[in-house]
Amino acid sequence: MDRLDPQLEDRERTPPFGELRIDRTSEVPVYVQIRDQLRARIERGVLPPGAALPPERRLAEQLGINRSTVLAAYGALKADGLVGAHVGRGTTVLAPPLPERGDEGAAALPWRELVRRGPASREDPVLRDLLALAERRDVVSLAVGLPPAELLPVAELAEVQARLVAERGAETLLHSPTEGIASLREALAARAAGWGMRATPHEILVTSGSQQGLDLIARVFLDPGDVVVVEEPSYLGALEVFRRAGARLVGVATDGEGMRVDLLEGLLSRHRPKLIYTLPSFQNPSGEVMSLARRQALLALARRHQVPVVEDDPYRELAYEQPPPPPLAALDGAASRPLGSPSGSANGVTIYVSSTSKILFPGLRVGWIAAPAEVIRRLSLAKQSADLHSPTLGQWVVERFLREGLLDRHLARVRPHYAARRDAMLAALAPAAALGVEWTRPRGGFYIWCSLPSALAPSRLLTAAAHEGVAYLPGSACFAEEPTGGHLRLNFTALAPAELREGGQRLLRALGTALTTAAPAWRASGSGTRPIV
Amino acid sequence: MHANLARRMDWLRASDIREMLKVTQRPDMISLAGGLPAPEIFPVAELAAAAARILAERGEVALQYATSEGHVPLREKIAARMNRIYGTSFQAAEILVTTGSQQALDLTAKLFLDEGDGVACESPTYLAAIQAFDVFHPRWVEVATDDDGMDPDALAAALTANPHLKLVYVIPNSQNPSGRTWTLERRRRFMEVVARHPVTVIEDNPYGEICYDGEPLPSLASFDTQGQVICLGTFSKTVAPGLRVGWMAVRGALFGKLTILKGAADLHTSTLGQLVLDAYLDGGTLDENIRRTCAVYRERRDAMISALEREMPPGVRFTRPSGGLFIWLELPAGMNARALLPRCLERGVAFVPGGGFFPNGTREDTVRLNFSNMPVPRIVEGIRRLGEAVRELATGR
């Protein structure tokens, strides 16, 4: 059905698509221009319900643009519920959601009024486009936060899984306690004890990934308007959770030793925050480690001001040189309790959040929290509302990997690979120094953090990188407030060294382009929402 | 750290279910308290085989991060299944996979509810939904419900009297806790009423396919002309609860908003669980397994109903559900189920007092009985002991 509705052509003298205008000099991406013009026509009734949009290929030819741009525009209209795509009928304008019946029938639902007035969804279109870009096969993506698929211990897992089903049968498929299966909580407590933490098993809560841990902490601690102190830069998924809970984020600068604790005291007095959020070991996104002295100073301040510290620590076991200092949660317990007192972390100020997603299998969604029992009790109640419990089989799998030494064996195997990948990435970046780019040399974790020279607009680099076929996480997403300079987060674990070198070369070319010329705009539309981790 | 907690947490009350499960873990206890499917009916071998196949063939995908919306082939299967069984017309793109349907309730509450917003529900309604919504401090409006379902006139009156009602939460198929299934006529009239008001309907449907007499009735969404109904579903009752795979079917602009909330809540639902389910569904044995499950449950339901008829003194009324896992009991006038419970626990039989299923807390003379999780002889014995305790309490001994 290529033809427009004849009725429509009667009503409108000019064909409705004849006047679409593309302004190539505009800052507005081409697909947005098309989307907005089509949307205006639909809303004015120029394109009534049932009218067919031209096939993408034809409109692309007519306007002299790429078909994917038209696809993106149609996709955006579809996402807004204005058009629908049907096999055999192409893309057609949908009827507005009006009731069929008469006089007192309701109009389309006023969704804007129906959803919460509270903190709105803050969807960053740049990030979305970027993730769509990272999905493209011809793109080298340094934007992800993944362990490499080819190094996952899949065969071991298959063996463990078969054994679990044989030994425990339906139990692995049944409901399990909200706090997590007891044996896993014991194994996690034992592992934490190895780092000097004294959490007992009942001070451990298993979560559906550490993202849920952060979400639960936000619901238990934060009311709208509360302040959370965060490092700058910080993990963007945590910033998102805190913002959504209605919190105001106050950033504290970091350097090569982690959080600038010397700046913290003033912030604590001035803002009276509800929480301090830190990633002290191989931070996401900077890769930096907080020094022992800073850790102790941070704890002393938190205790004095009675502010809980949320310690997000999923990268601790990915040390490629020497291990990081003990967790805050370990130092906290040791300092706050007289020697010989019962174990447990009842007097601590630290809420320790971790995950097996970086060291084992992200898809299992098994994370955990260690905190004083009073806090765990409340987090458990919140978790019960959130999802009852985490998947049972995944918990048993992690329990086996911990207890049978499979995790340690896996870590020993992958660490040298990750170290080699980091070195490959660092080597590939070396020429960028001449362009004024600076970066961290992480001793563990997943990421390298680059700072751009002030002359280089981050948006211009993003465009150039898209054209070169390389993706990264733009640093602006990692700040409490819009940062002054430009930054990039580069992942070095997901890709093999050769791919990293290729990605590095593309990035260098993009840097060169961005520093010298203005590049044309690029946008994409995605097929699914990839979590950014 | 107590002082630092968010104010909204003060509203969380200790869960009746949680306290209850502690007692029922005693092996000698006849538990009619849980809401659990019978473990022996889970397709353990098939799921294990599906998992082994997934790990052998696609282990790298099954264990990686994935999209927040969920695994596309699974979403396609869910949409097709809903459309086939419940007369809806959802597309895969309108299905958001959640970590159990509990998460769907939680995301719904997060999206819609500010403090003081109104939520209408059946009276009684599902305890965990009350808890999930209560976190956001809504005002509950209980709507009169009889054996045919929610009373549409009472709903119309409630909607007119409460213009700020945002959600209507209902379980039209074999409701938890009452076991009631709405008639077709009530479904139609319900949709006629809500269509005149700017409210969103949350149609929770965990038990639709656990149906012993006849076929499942059409979903409320099949009468929906404005994208007003959000459907919640789960595999917890039909395949296995520990997988934690549920979904919500959502039309229009809300889908994107819910996806963002889902991502912030836990990034995505366990990839392994989703792929295992998808592979299991490919095997084509789900319908057969549901038939087998229903045969087992039907026998247990019948056993419980005839035991109740035999054992209960006059003045006790109970529902005769056509599906689901629960029978709802109204005690003789003036009898309090919370007073009955200790006498029953002494006798080694447990149930859930019905008071917690009324969000505004009005009816303590009610009891929820589960019949899916105990073999027939235990059910018969449990009801005998329950009848004894009721008679004892009625005569004041």
Side-chain angles (χ1 to χ4, degrees), chain A residues 266-277:
Chain A
L267 296 179
L268 294 181
S269 310
R270 195 156 54 245
H271 296 287
R272 308 197 143 277
K274 249 336 190 6
L275 297 172
I276 301 167
Y277 173 70

Side-chain angles (χ1 to χ4, degrees), chain A residues 116-117 173 219-220 223 363 529, chain B residues 6 63 69 106 110 114 242:
Chain A
R116 300 184 68 192
R117 293 181 300 275
L173 303 170
R219 351 172 145 203
V220 168
D223 285 306
T529 311
Chain B
L63 301 166
E69 289 88 343
D106 183 51
K110 274 183 176 162
D114 288 304

Side-chain angles (χ1 to χ4, degrees), chain B residues 337-358:
Chain B
R338 289 183 206 263
L340 180 65
L341 184 59
R343 288 169 185 260
C344 284
L345 294 179
E346 275 168 29
R347 289 178 162 81
V349 60
F351 63 83
V352 180
F357 298 93
F358 298 89

Side-chain angles (χ1 to χ4, degrees), chain B residues 37-354:
Chain B
E40 65 270 24
I41 56 101
F42 294 134
V44 177
E46 284 131 302
L47 286 170
R53 200 159 68 239
I54 286 296
L55 291 174
E57 291 165 11
R58 325 184 45 197
E60 292 171 2
V61 179
L63 301 166
Q64 265 306 10
Y65 283 118
T67 56
S68 299
E69 289 88 343
H71 184 53
V72 173
L74 179 63
R75 293 161 70 200
E76 285 167 355
K77 291 186 179 77
I78 289 170
R81 193 168 182 88
M82 286 183 76
N83 297 344
R84 171 164 67 80
I85 296 176
Y86 300 111
T88 52
S89 50
F90 287 111
Q91 299 180 7
E94 294 166 332
I95 306 295
L96 175 66
V97 175
T98 58
T99 305
S101 60
Q102 186 68 28
Q103 185 177 56
L105 290 171
D106 183 51
L107 298 178
T108 303
K110 274 183 176 162
L111 180 61
F112 284 99
L113 297 182
D114 288 304
E115 187 166 343
D117 285 341
V119 180
C121 66
E122 294 154 290
S123 179
T125 189
Y126 176 45
L127 183 56
I130 298 176
Q131 289 169 341
F133 291 171
D134 266 355
V135 175
F136 298 87
H137 310 185
R139 214 162 30 76
W140 287 94
V141 178
E142 292 179 40
V143 180
T145 310
D146 60 27
D147 284 350
D148 289 340
M150 186 180 270
D151 178 346
D153 297 328
L155 175 63
L159 286 167
T160 307
N162 299 279
H164 300 302
L165 270 177
K166 274 191 169 173
L167 296 176
V168 183
Y169 171 76
V170 293
I171 310 173
N173 294 324
S174 305
Q175 197 227 27
N176 179 359
S178 73
R180 288 165 176 147
T181 295
W182 296 16
T183 63
L184 188 59
E185 179 55 22
R186 282 285 176 91
R187 289 169 202 244
R188 276 208 197 92
R189 291 192 51 207
F190 173 89
M191 288 306 294
E192 280 168 18
V193 170
V194 295
R196 292 196 290 268
H197 295 271
V199 290
T200 301
V201 176
I202 309 301
E203 181 182 19
D204 196 359
N205 185 22
Y207 310 106
E209 295 191 57
I210 307 299
C211 181
Y212 315 132
D213 311 316
E215 296 294 313
L217 291 170
S219 156
L220 298 174
S222 70
F223 305 105
D224 180 17
T225 56
Q226 350 176 45
Q228 195 173 13
V229 179
I230 295 177
C231 294
L232 313 189
T234 175
F235 289 107
S236 290
K237 307 297 183 285
T238 50
V239 183
L243 291 173
R244 309 306 301 134
V245 179
W247 68 87
M248 43 204 320
V250 192
R251 293 230 144 94
L254 291 186
F255 186 88
K257 293 183 189 299
L258 286 163
T259 304
I260 293 169
L261 289 176
K262 162 74 181 162
D266 63 358
L267 299 184
H268 64 81
T269 294
S270 162
T271 332
L272 180 61
Q274 292 188 63
L275 267 72
V276 166
L277 255 178
D278 185 55
Y280 170 72
L281 294 176
D282 274 334
T285 55
L286 175 59
D287 287 333
E288 177 50 34
N289 190 60
I290 290 175
R291 264 194 296 279
R292 251 195 344 258
T293 303
C294 287
V296 173
Y297 290 174
R298 185 185 294 116
E299 195 190 350
R300 294 177 180 187
R301 174 202 59 175
D302 293 344
M304 185 173 275
I305 287 178
S306 47
L308 285 168
E309 282 167 347
R310 202 165 49 240
E311 304 289 347
M312 286 302 137
V316 174
R317 301 187 338 123
F318 51 89
T319 56
R320 290 170 165 75
S322 61
L325 312 182
F326 306 105
I327 289 175
W328 182 247
L329 207 101
E330 291 175 11
L331 297 169
M335 190 181 287
N336 189 324
R338 289 183 206 263
L340 180 65
L341 184 59
R343 288 169 185 260
C344 284
L345 294 179
E346 275 168 29
R347 289 178 162 81
V349 60
F351 63 83
V352 180

